[in-house]
Amino acid sequence: DASPGHFATTGSTQQTACAKGSFAAKARSEACELCAPGYFQSAPGQAACFRCAPGKLCPQGSTRELDAQCSPGTYVNVTDADGDPDCLDCPAGSSCAGGGAALAVCSPGTAAKPAQGQCTVCGVGTYQPDSGATGCLECELGTFCPKGSSAQLPATCPAGFYIGNASTTLESLDDCVGCTPGSFCAGGAAQPTACAPGSIAPSANMSACELCPIGRFAASTTACEECEAGTYAASEGLSQCTPCPYPTGSKSSDVTCSICKEGFYLQNASALPEDIFRGPTKHCKTCPPNANCATNTTLETLGVRRDYWRASLFTTEIHKCDASDHCSGSGGSTETSRRLAASGGAGPGCDPGHTGPLCEWCVSDEQYFDRAERGCADCPPTGRVGLKVVVAALAGAALLSYPALARTECGRYGAVLRLARSESQVGFQPKFKILVSFYQVAATLGPVYGVHLHKDFTRWTNFVDAISFDLLGLAYPNACIGSMRDRILIAALWPIAAIMLGGTALACYALTEWLLSDRTENLRRGLIRNAQSRLLYLAIIVAYLLLPSVSRAIFKAKQCESYDINVFSGEIRSYLVADLKVLCSAADVEYRGLDAYFWAFFVLWPVLVPLAFFSLLLWIRPEVVSQRVGDIAGACRFLWRDYEPGFLFWEVVDLLRKLFLASLVLFINIEHGSSKLLRLVVASVVSALFLAALALARPFKQSDDLFLACIANLLLTCCFMLGTVVKLCESAAYEDMCKTLVGFDSARGASAFVIALTAAMLIISLLVVVLKTASAVRMPTIRLASSGRPPVLELPPECHFHGFISHMWATGQDQTHTVVRRLQLLLPGVRIWLDVDNLDDVGRLEESVADATTFLVFLSAGYFKSFNCRRELYAALHLNRPFIPIHEADVDKGGASIEDLKAECRKHCDNAAPDERERDMLARVCPSYSGPDEMLARVFGQEAEPPIVWVRGNAFQLESLKAVALRMLRHSPYYASRQAELAAGLMVPRQPGPCAFSGPVTILMCRANERAIGIARELKNAAGEGRGSTASAGAVAIRDAEEALEGVNAAPLSGRVVFLLYLNDETFLDTGGAVARLVQAAMDRRIAIAMVHEQEPSHGGVPFRNFFQQTPQVLQQPPYKLYDKVALPLYPAPAHRKVSLRLILTSMGAVPCDAGPLRRRWQLLRRHIAVARLVWWRPASRDSLAEASLSQEPQQMVQP
């Protein structure tokens, strides 16, 4: 073990002596300890250290005593290996005496800064509770601190006061200061304390703060203020008010939130404030559209703007007054009519004199609500109403009597004739029906579908209402008539009364006519039959035109509009739209009494009228399909005349569509339907489907009628769709719904679009009528020359075709096809049997002949050689069918001369022919056939009606077709007793008519040109046949060309000069060539050449190609080019020859007699341009020009 003064480490075998400056006081030490400061050890292996002598310095681990040398404020410390001390600055909070003294920490009540020799004692008013402080602390107010204090000593003041100066000893209460407002003093040594949030000290010297009462808050420490509106203070001592929970509000100084904020209303004004505060969203509801909700608004005090109305003070439904300008909003009058007051239907929000839903009822029984004036107006006097009724009756009588008048003797003259022609050419009836149907449905957008257009368009809606044929409402206001029952009775029965009145007038007319005649039984029966037919026609038109409006008037007995009355009970009140003083309730006696009238008239009009139309069409269907129109079918023509036979019932379908859209749709949501979109959606779908059916079925005969009907249904579909847009724009369910969903800024834009569509329908209809009128004048359809109307194509009961055309396939097939196709275009509705169209079995030819009224024979080469043609001839002969022979005279086109055809007939139509098949056929088809003479007599032997020559030129072909049509009509059952109507013949609009010259004309002809003089005379006579011509036949001079052009003493030519060149097989074969010479001379003098090509072979008619061989080459080559101008054909048949003469006159510069001044000048200008063009391309030779300069050339030029 190590002995004291020594140490031994673990594992060592020997002890080690402690070094100098250290010691080991105990045995078994593992290490030696350094001498503590103030001690030293100069020898090794020692067990203790020696204390330093006074005045000496012994740092820790000293091996000897050192001399002290540090000044006050510093202290000594050994820091290097030599053992000499270093003096360091005394740190703050300690004192250093200097020399070898160590630093001393300052005690409480003292403090020292750095390098200070001794600690400073705290003075009066300061203290220091900690050791080693660097400074003293100021004594707080209300305490006392003597010199050298290590703590603050308490002072004593009364409550409400405090020690204001703590630097001196408190000697009396005068040294205590009173507390200022906003703070309190507890007394003693306590200093003033500011009032806590929510409390105040309103005055000085207060020992405690006061809490703010409920409903107020401490805005400062001196005063409490009331809580602002929208906040509350439910307890005392609040520093701020609490905002009301959304969406409630409060008044000033409220202790709770029991009202609703701006933009909301209190649904139940009797609700407890606590309940409102606990359930704010349950009691405060969002302000309804079109209402004004200020703070503290209740359901009863909802602010309603002007032009809006609500049914009661307990409903949130606010309606815009679209038709009335007298909705006053929140502050209107509450006066009401006696009937509304009795039913409890009075509502606030109307100007004086107005009451009822939407302020559309009048307080006075002597007034009615006028939608045009948007307010109440006095009921008109009955005298004015009577005048309107008379005017309407006269207008209706004129409209309905026109079709009958047009068929009487009076209809043959004057305006009726012109109107009848226009109606037949244009087809006003289908266009009128389409237009009326469109507006009858469009007029229901407001009353049926609830689409209220903007008030700026009231005038247009009144116009649409007028077209809808609601004559009762137009003649006298409904509200002035009487009760709703009386209105329904009048609306449903006055059309029947009108029909009965018309029947009475027809009966009186028939009776008068019978009394003024010879009073035969046949006449009596005829008059009765005619009167019955006209009465049926009148009833059909009246029922057709008035069915939608009458049905809508009947449905007014069920058309109600409901309004919410009480949001708490869900109560609603329904008003009869047509009579707002009637409530739609079983409790209302008047409404309950309307049921019987409604169902009775519902069966009478919307059910029985379409059923009657359907029954009539079903009854007359065989007659219409077979085109055998009888009295009943003729009286019902208003229903079927405009449609194809396969769509006979289309009028009933269209009537049901119109009836559904105009009235039956009211069954959809009877009470709320007009305020919903469902009806509009259904109507849009129905209109679109009908449009598709219309486009696919194509039921109309005329394409322009189909076009107009499709346009009408398309626009009607668009109107319903835009009606949906208008209702969306009127809705206020969402803010800016119209702009956001639709794109319109307001409902006015959508209303303008609807008006534009309805106006477009009227414009399109007028355009179609105008264009149809213009095109009808040009349309090449055959009409009666006496009346301008299309002929009636009636068939006898046993026939289905107007004609059977028989032809030889090899030589007449193309021509007969042309005949049939052109006749079908010229006579719409004509039915002609043609093999390629109707032949099913060649063995039944005789039956086909029997099924036609007339027998058309197309005579071409080889016709009588055909066995089947002879079968058809014998069948027609046996059936005594009228023969209409058509002769093909052009040999190059398969024709033959009449003599050749007669010879062919004698040879092949012989009953004594050895052919056994021929004899069998004759015995079967025509056993009474007597021989070829009988056949020749029927085909060729009728001098009054010789074979019709078939000509191919357009104008000439038209004459051939007119002749065929005229003979067919003469043998029709309708005109069998009306031959006078066919006496003037047939006409086609725009066909060549009489022509005349506007000035003197000289026709030059060559005597060597045979037959030219006769043609010139015919032209002169034809120029004078026009009644409206300005130049008579005497103004046309005929002169010899040789004398006029080559004569020495020839009179000068004046006016318009034309050289007439007659072309036949001998034109340029005259001796001496005078014709060619004079033609050349005329062309040299720039005289127009009018060439006429003879077509009759017996008069030298040859094909035009022959003239190129006989005409001198000088005339065919430049500068003459004679045949650059077309030669006009001249036919021998009277009808064709008349056309030839008119065309020749037109080529000479004549104008139609029915042409106006502008048309005359235009045609003359065209003629002058054509002549000038010929002159330009055919300049005169030098010698000719010299000759022309010496002659009076200006008088020979073409003059107007």
Side-chain angles (χ1 to χ4, degrees):
D1 293 334
S3 60
H6 296 81
F7 72 93
T9 61
T10 303
S12 62
T13 58
Q14 294 181 356
Q15 63 179 2
T16 303
C18 290
K20 293 180 180 181
S22 63
F23 70 97
K26 298 178 181 180
R28 304 179 65 181
S29 296
E30 293 183 356
C32 298
E33 299 180 21
L34 294 177
C35 292
Y39 293 85
F40 75 96
Q41 181 55 257
S42 59
Q46 298 299 315
C49 295
F50 301 104
R51 183 182 295 276
C52 276
K56 297 293 183 177
L57 175 63
C58 294
Q60 184 179 10
S62 296
T63 60
R64 61 185 178 86
E65 291 179 312
L66 300 176
D67 294 331
Q69 299 175 349
C70 294
S71 62
T74 62
Y75 69 98
V76 68
N77 189 25
V78 180
T79 59
D80 49 11
D82 58 7
D84 293 331
D86 292 327
C87 294
L88 302 178
D89 287 338
C90 191
S94 299
S95 62
C96 297
L103 60 86
V105 178
C106 294
S107 62
T110 64
K113 295 182 179 179
Q116 190 169 324
Q118 61 181 1
C119 293
T120 305
V121 178
C122 292
V124 177
T126 63
Y127 74 101
Q128 179 52 258
D130 299 323
S131 299
T134 59
C136 296
L137 303 176
E138 292 289 337
C139 219
E140 295 180 2
L141 295 178
T143 62
F144 174 68
C145 296
K147 185 176 181 180
S149 294
S150 61
Q152 301 180 95
L153 301 177
T156 303
C157 283
F161 293 86
Y162 69 98
I163 299 174
N165 185 2
S167 61
T168 60
T169 303
L170 182 64
E171 297 180 353
S172 66
L173 291 179
D174 295 337
D175 293 331
C176 293
V177 180
C179 274
T180 59
S183 61
F184 71 96
C185 296
Q191 291 295 308
T193 304
C195 291
S199 61
I200 60 170
S203 60
N205 307 329
M206 292 193 67
S207 61
C209 293
E210 299 175 355
L211 295 178
C212 288
I214 58 174
R216 293 173 174 264
F217 73 102
S220 64
T221 58
T222 59
C224 293
E225 294 184 6
E226 293 180 347
C227 289
E228 296 180 352
T231 62
Y232 71 100
S235 60
E236 297 179 339
L238 296 180
S239 61
Q240 61 181 5
C241 297
T242 306
C244 289
Y246 183 86
T248 59
S250 65
K251 295 178 288 186
S252 298
S253 70
D254 272 1
V255 298
T256 187
C257 296
S258 58
I259 63 176
C260 298
K261 64 181 294 185
E262 183 178 3
F264 294 84
Y265 71 95
L266 183 61
Q267 188 176 38
N268 187 0
S270 61
L272 296 176
E274 304 84 58
D275 295 337
I276 298 172
F277 183 80
R278 284 194 297 267
T281 56
K282 177 182 178 181
H283 293 274
C284 290
K285 302 298 182 181
T286 304
C287 193
N290 304 316
N292 178 25
C293 295
T295 302
N296 196 20
T297 298
T298 63
L299 178 62
E300 293 88 339
T301 60
L302 275 178
V304 181
R305 292 182 292 172
R306 184 167 185 85
D307 294 331
Y308 289 87
W309 176 88
R310 65 171 176 162
S312 76
L313 298 177
F314 299 97
T315 179
T316 57
E317 273 193 359
I318 299 177
H319 306 270
K320 181 174 177 56
C321 299
D322 294 298
S324 176
D325 287 337
H326 297 277
C327 294
S328 60
S330 301
S333 66
T334 57
E335 58 179 334
T336 183
S337 65
R338 295 190 304 272
R339 181 72 171 80
L340 280 174
S343 63
C350 297
D351 290 338
H354 298 77
T355 187
L358 303 175
C359 303
E360 294 181 9
W361 198 256
C362 301
V363 174
S364 173
D365 294 337
E366 303 299 324
Q367 289 185 321
Y368 73 100
F369 186 81
D370 188 350
R371 288 184 172 269
E373 300 297 330
R374 302 180 62 83
C376 290
D378 294 335
C379 290
T382 54
R384 186 185 304 174
V385 177
L387 179 61
K388 289 183 178 181
V389 172
V390 170
V391 172
L394 292 177
L399 178 64
L400 298 176
S401 62
Y402 155 70
L405 184 61
R407 287 172 168 75
T408 62
E409 293 297 326
C410 299
R412 301 183 184 275
Y413 307 102
V416 175
L417 175 60
R418 290 192 295 271
L419 186 60
R421 288 182 177 179
S422 300
E423 191 276 333
S424 63
Q425 294 172 355
V426 179
F428 287 120
Q429 175 177 297
K431 298 170 181 60
F432 172 76
K433 293 196 308 187
I434 293 170
L435 185 64
V436 169
S437 297
F438 172 83
Y439 281 107
Q440 282 181 331
V441 177
T444 63
L445 279 175
V448 175
Y449 298 92
V451 179
H452 301 293
L453 301 181
H454 195 270
K455 61 182 180 181
D456 292 346
F457 306 109
T458 304
R459 299 294 181 185
W460 178 257
T461 55
N462 292 339
F463 168 74
V464 174
D465 291 339
I467 299 182
S468 65
F469 283 95
D470 186 8
L471 301 182
L472 183 62
L474 293 175
Y476 198 69
N478 288 328
C480 298
I481 293 177
S483 65
M484 190 62 196
R485 182 184 59 184
D486 297 337
R487 298 179 210 171
I488 294 179
L489 283 172
I490 296 175
L493 296 180
W494 82 263
I496 300 177
I499 295 173
M500 296 176 64
L501 184 62
T504 303
L506 291 173
C508 292
Y509 172 79
L511 179 61
T512 303
E513 189 172 352
W514 184 72
L515 292 176
L516 296 177
S517 63
D518 53 2
R519 304 185 184 182
T520 61
E521 182 65 20
N522 291 335
L523 178 61
R524 184 184 68 83
R525 293 177 180 176
L527 289 175
I528 293 175
R529 186 169 58 253
N530 290 338
Q532 291 174 343
S533 298
R534 291 175 182 175
L535 179 60
L536 178 59
Y537 182 79
L538 174 66
I540 289 174
I541 293 182
V542 170
Y544 175 86
L545 294 179
L546 299 181
L547 177 60
S549 60
V550 172
S551 299
R552 195 164 71 248
I554 295 171
F555 272 89
K556 288 179 180 180
K558 290 294 181 181
Q559 186 181 0
C560 301
E561 188 68 30
S562 298
Y563 301 94
D564 287 341
I565 299 300
N566 195 309
V567 295
F568 305 109
S569 62
E571 180 186 356
I572 62 173
R573 181 175 294 142
S574 295
Y575 297 89
L576 198 64
V577 175
D579 192 344
L580 295 176
K581 67 177 182 291
V582 178
L583 295 179
C584 297
S585 171
D588 193 301
V589 178
E590 185 172 350
Y591 178 75
R592 194 168 59 249
L594 295 177
D595 281 343
Y597 294 93
F598 168 77
W599 289 111
F601 292 130
F602 175 80
V603 173
L604 176 62
W605 283 96
V607 176
L608 289 183
V609 170
L611 189 60
F613 285 175
F614 178 79
S615 301
L616 284 172
L617 292 173
L618 192 63
W619 179 271
I620 65 174
R621 184 174 181 273
E623 298 182 18
V624 176
V625 172
S626 63
Q627 296 190 359
R628 297 188 297 268
V629 180
D631 292 336
I632 297 179
C636 300
R637 61 188 178 275
F638 185 82
L639 299 176
W640 59 265
R641 190 180 69 178
D642 308 317
Y643 305 105
E644 296 288 352
F647 295 93
L648 185 67
F649 300 98
W650 189 265
E651 193 67 70
V652 177
V653 175
D654 184 68
L655 188 65
L656 291 175
R657 171 197 66 93
K658 185 168 57 175
L659 191 62
F660 175 79
L661 294 177
S663 56
L664 293 179
V665 73
L666 288 168
F667 276 127
I668 299 178
N669 198 346
I670 293 179
E671 291 190 354
H672 298 280
S674 61
S675 61
K676 307 298 181 183
L677 295 179
L678 182 58
R679 288 181 185 173
L680 286 170
V681 173
V682 172
S684 301
V685 172
V686 170
S687 298
L689 292 177
F690 187 81
L691 174 62
L694 191 66
L696 292 175
R698 306 177 68 87
F700 288 92
K701 290 181 179 179
Q702 301 297 328
S703 59
D704 56 326
D705 296 333
L706 176 65
F707 167 78
L708 188 61
C710 290
I711 289 294
N713 281 276
L714 176 62
L715 293 181
L716 198 59
T717 304
C718 294
C719 284
F720 286 127
M721 297 175 68
L722 285 173
T724 306
V725 172
V726 172
K727 291 186 73 66
L728 287 176
C729 287
E730 289 178 343
S731 174
Y734 302 100
E735 187 176 0
D736 295 332
M737 175 182 286
C738 190
K739 183 68 175 179
T740 304
L741 295 183
V742 181
F744 289 110
D745 292 331
S746 65
R748 190 183 190 281
S751 299
F753 207 173
V754 174
I755 295 300
L757 288 180
T758 54
M761 181 60 201
L762 181 61
I763 294 173
I764 291 174
S765 301
L766 295 177
L767 286 177
V768 169
V769 171
V770 171
L771 294 177
K772 183 64 176 177
T773 303
S775 62
V777 178
R778 303 171 182 268
M779 186 180 298
T781 56
I782 292 177
R783 306 178 186 279
L784 299 179
S786 59
S787 64
R789 299 178 63 86
V792 177
L793 301 176
E794 185 177 340
L795 285 170
E798 68 275 7
C799 297
H800 293 87
F801 294 91
H802 298 93
F804 178 101
I805 187 163
S806 175
H807 66 281
M808 175 69 177
W809 277 32
T811 58
Q813 183 177 8
D814 294 340
Q815 297 93 315
T816 52
H817 287 187
T818 302
V819 171
V820 174
R821 300 297 179 247
R822 288 298 306 276
L823 279 175
Q824 288 173 343
L825 293 174
L826 292 169
L827 278 175
V830 71
R831 304 182 67 184
I832 300 178
W833 192 98
L834 183 63
D835 51 4
V836 296
D837 296 333
N838 308 103
L839 180 61
D840 295 327
D841 183 3
V842 72
R844 304 178 62 182
L845 284 176
E846 293 81 6
E847 296 180 14
S848 300
V849 173
D851 200 24
T853 305
T854 59
F855 184 72
L856 283 69
V857 185
F858 193 83
L859 300 174
S860 59
Y863 173 79
F864 294 100
K865 297 179 182 180
S866 171
F867 177 78
N868 286 329
C869 290
R870 294 196 300 275
R871 284 177 57 193
E872 296 165 355
L873 282 170
Y874 295 143
L877 191 65
H878 177 70
L879 295 168
N880 196 27
R881 290 290 185 263
F883 277 60
I884 304 177
I886 306 172
H887 177 214
E888 173 60 83
D890 192 342
V891 179
D892 294 337
K893 303 296 183 180
S897 65
I898 294 294
E899 286 69 19
D900 292 342
L901 290 170
K902 288 181 178 180
E904 189 178 288
C905 178
R906 290 190 184 94
K907 179 179 178 181
H908 295 280
C909 295
D910 188 0
N911 58 341
D915 189 352
E916 183 177 354
R917 186 178 68 159
E918 187 83 12
R919 292 197 303 271
D920 292 343
M921 182 264 290
L922 275 173
R924 176 174 54 84
V925 176
C926 187
S928 62
Y929 180 62
S930 60
D933 292 337
E934 182 181 1
M935 185 64 70
L936 289 171
R938 291 297 300 270
V939 178
F940 302 102
Q942 304 179 43
E943 295 182 1
E945 292 185 347
I948 300 169
V949 180
W950 176 249
V951 184
R952 284 170 178 76
N954 187 37
F956 304 101
Q957 185 185 89
L958 189 60
E959 291 298 325
S960 299
L961 294 170
K962 284 169 54 181
V964 174
L966 181 61
R967 295 190 188 183
M968 291 176 61
L969 293 174
R970 284 175 179 169
H971 298 290
S972 68
Y974 182 82
Y975 291 104
S977 59
R978 299 177 176 87
Q979 291 294 321
E981 296 186 22
L982 301 176
L986 304 177
M987 54 85 68
V988 176
R990 307 291 295 176
Q991 73 179 107
C995 300
F997 294 102
S998 58
V1001 177
T1002 300
I1003 300 178
L1004 301 180
M1005 58 84 196
C1006 178
R1007 295 187 180 278
N1009 190 197
E1010 295 183 2
R1011 296 184 181 275
I1013 180 63
I1015 303 302
R1017 290 170 180 166
E1018 290 185 57
L1019 291 172
K1020 181 177 181 178
N1021 294 333
E1025 70 176 349
R1027 293 176 298 171
S1029 63
T1030 58
S1032 63
V1036 179
I1038 303 175
R1039 293 185 60 180
D1040 179 54
E1042 186 174 6
E1043 180 270 333
L1045 299 177
E1046 298 178 348
V1048 178
N1049 299 321
L1053 296 172
S1054 60
R1056 179 176 178 82
V1057 182
V1058 181
F1059 188 97
L1060 178 64
L1061 179 60
Y1062 175 75
L1063 299 176
N1064 65 357
D1065 58 351
E1066 297 179 351
T1067 299
F1068 292 104
L1069 302 180
D1070 60 308
T1071 304
V1075 176
R1077 186 183 75 253
L1078 292 174
V1079 168
Q1080 183 177 0
M1083 297 180 74
D1084 287 340
R1085 299 182 68 171
R1086 300 182 179 179
I1087 295 175
I1089 307 297
M1091 293 182 290
V1092 180
H1093 179 202
E1094 179 62 66
Q1095 301 294 312
E1096 174 59 36
S1098 62
H1099 292 168
V1102 293
F1104 194 81
R1105 61 178 178 271
N1106 293 8
F1107 299 129
F1108 292 101
Q1109 300 174 2
Q1110 63 172 264
T1111 305
Q1113 292 298 313
V1114 66
L1115 295 178
Q1116 299 186 47
Q1117 297 175 355
Y1120 299 104
K1121 294 185 177 181
L1122 176 63
Y1123 295 125
D1124 278 4
K1125 188 177 181 181
V1126 178
L1128 295 171
L1130 182 66
Y1131 291 96
H1136 298 141
R1137 196 172 191 85
K1138 181 183 295 185
V1139 175
S1140 297
L1141 295 175
R1142 291 173 178 175
L1143 292 177
I1144 295 169
L1145 289 173
T1146 303
S1147 70
M1148 291 181 174
V1151 294
C1153 295
D1154 58 351
L1158 293 178
R1159 184 178 173 191
R1160 288 171 178 269
R1161 292 187 177 276
W1162 170 244
Q1163 292 203 3
L1164 287 175
L1165 179 61
R1166 291 177 60 189
R1167 297 295 176 191
H1168 292 172
I1169 294 174
V1171 173
R1173 187 181 294 113
L1174 289 175
V1175 172
W1176 176 265
W1177 289 106
R1178 189 183 64 239
S1181 64
R1182 181 179 303 173
D1183 296 339
S1184 299
L1185 291 175
E1187 179 183 355
S1189 64
L1190 296 176
S1191 63
Q1192 297 180 358
E1193 183 181 348
Q1195 297 177 350
Q1196 301 168 3
M1197 297 296 291
V1198 178
Q1199 299 184 18

